[in-house]
Amino acid sequence: MGGFIDTLQFVLAPQVVNGLSIGVAVILMALGLTIIFGLLDVINMAHGEFYALGAYLGVSLAAAGVNFWLMLLLVPLIMAPIGYLFERMLIQRVFHHKDRHILTLLLTFGLAIIMEDLFKVFYGPQALTAATPIEGASEIAGMFFPNYRLFLMAIGTAIILVVWLVVYRTSLGAMVRAAAFDKNMASSLGVPVSHVYAGTFAFGVALAALSGVLLAPVYSVFPTMGKDFILMAFSVVIVGGLGSIKGAVIAGLVLTQIQAIASLYISPSWTDPLVFAIMVAVLMVRPQGLFGRLGHA
C-alpha cells in the first residue's frame, strides 16, 4: 500500500501536472488553429511557425531587457497585426478561387518553409534557451510541483475561458459564429465578413505566438520547433472536430494527459505514435471528430 501511495505521490501526480501544464498551452495553439478553420475553412500550415515566431520574439525581447510579464502582452499585440496583414494580403487573394483549399494549403505551407529558413538566418540553427520567470516549487498535499508549471495551468485556463466568453457571450463572437455558419446571410445583415475573417486569423496567430512565449521556458527555442509542435495541435483539432472550440479543449486535455502518463510506461519516442493511433481510431469511428464546427456549436 505504501509503495502505491509513493508512486501516486511522487511519480504519477507530478506527471499529471506536467501533462496539464503542457495541455493548456497546446489548447491555446489548437484553439487558434480550429477557430481559423471553423471560420475561414483554411488549414493554416504555417501555424506552427507563428508559434515559433512568438517564442523567438520572446527571446529577443528578453535580450532587450523586457520582463516576462510585459512580454506576455507585447508578443500577441505584435503578432496580431502580422496575422491580419497576412490574411488580407495573401489568403484573401486566393480565398475565392475554386481551388482555394489546395491553394491556401500550399500558400501557408510555403510560408512555413520561408519562416523556418528565416529563423535559421537571423537566429542560427542552434537551440536557444529562455529563462524560467518563476523559480522554485510549491508543496500541495505533500507533493512538490514546479511553480512555473502551476502558473502555465492557471494562465492557460484563464485565457481559454476568456476565448470561450468572447466567442459565445459577446456580440463580436456572435458575428464570428454567424459568418462561420452562413457568410452570405451574415453579410446581408451588415456583418463586415472580410474584416471578421482577417481579425479571426489575426486572433488565431496571436494565440499561437502566446503559446510560444509560454512554452519557451519549458522547451528550447529552435527553428523547427513549430513543425514538431504542430503535429500535436493538429491531432487535437482533428480528434476534437475541425472548427470546434469545445472539442479542442477536451481533446487537448485528454491527448496530452495520455501522452504524459504513457511516457511512464513506454519509451517517450512511442508517445507521439500513440497519440496518432488514437487520432486514427477516432477518425475511423467519427470522421468529423468528436464535436461540431464553430458555426454549429
Side-chain angles (χ1 to χ4, degrees):
M1 186 65 179
F4 172 76
I5 294 176
D6 288 343
T7 301
L8 180 65
Q9 183 174 4
F10 298 110
V11 179
L12 187 59
Q15 199 69 2
V16 168
V17 171
N18 288 340
L20 288 173
S21 62
I22 300 302
V24 294
V26 170
I27 290 169
L28 289 181
M29 189 173 179
L31 279 179
L33 197 62
T34 201
I35 288 173
I36 289 172
F37 181 87
L39 180 60
L40 279 73
D41 202 20
V42 169
I43 298 177
N44 181 18
M45 296 298 294
H47 203 70
E49 278 59 42
F50 285 123
Y51 154 78
L53 181 55
Y56 274 115
L57 281 176
V59 170
S60 298
L61 290 173
V66 178
N67 70 65
F68 179 78
W69 310 110
L70 181 58
M71 194 188 307
L72 291 179
L73 178 64
L74 285 178
V75 169
L77 289 178
I78 293 171
M79 290 298 299
I82 293 175
Y84 188 93
L85 289 174
F86 175 74
E87 199 281 337
R88 296 296 290 175
M89 296 175 65
L90 296 177
I91 296 291
Q92 277 296 319
R93 291 183 179 273
V94 299
F95 189 76
H96 300 289
H97 195 278
K98 62 178 182 178
D99 296 323
R100 69 182 182 88
H101 290 98
I102 296 176
L103 290 176
T104 52
L105 190 70
L106 293 175
L107 178 63
T108 55
F109 182 71
L111 177 68
I113 295 174
I114 293 172
M115 290 177 68
E116 185 179 317
D117 287 340
L118 288 176
F119 295 152
K120 294 176 184 177
V121 170
F122 288 102
Y123 293 96
Q126 72 279 3
L128 305 177
T129 57
T132 303
I134 305 177
E135 301 286 351
S138 297
E139 182 180 359
I140 302 175
M143 297 170 282
F144 289 89
F145 302 103
N147 288 331
Y148 187 69
R149 299 275 182 160
L150 297 176
F151 165 75
L152 270 181
M153 293 168 56
I155 191 172
T157 301
I159 295 171
I160 291 168
L161 288 174
V162 169
V163 171
W164 184 85
L165 288 172
V166 169
V167 172
Y168 291 105
R169 292 292 184 269
T170 67
S171 57
L172 177 62
M175 287 193 295
V176 170
R177 288 182 286 117
F181 185 77
D182 189 331
K183 64 179 181 181
N184 293 323
M185 179 63 73
S187 179
S188 67
L189 294 174
V191 175
V193 173
S194 62
H195 291 288
V196 170
Y197 281 175
T200 302
F201 193 92
F203 182 64
V205 165
L207 282 179
L210 182 59
S211 300
V213 176
L214 290 172
L215 286 179
V218 178
Y219 298 107
S220 298
V221 180
F222 51 95
T224 60
M225 64 183 294
K227 185 182 300 180
D228 296 340
F229 207 67
I230 194 64
L231 295 175
M232 174 58 82
F234 268 120
S235 298
V236 168
V237 170
I238 292 171
V239 171
L242 286 166
S244 171
I245 293 177
K246 178 171 65 174
V249 172
I250 294 175
L253 291 175
V254 171
L255 291 181
T256 53
Q257 203 57 241
I258 290 174
Q259 189 180 48
I261 295 175
S263 66
L264 295 173
Y265 304 100
I266 62 176
S267 171
S269 62
W270 285 99
T271 56
D272 284 343
L274 175 62
V275 170
F276 299 149
I278 294 172
M279 179 185 70
V280 171
V282 170
L283 288 176
M284 291 175 64
V285 178
R286 286 182 61 86
Q288 74 273 30
L290 297 178
F291 299 93
R293 294 182 53 136
L294 180 65
H296 303 266

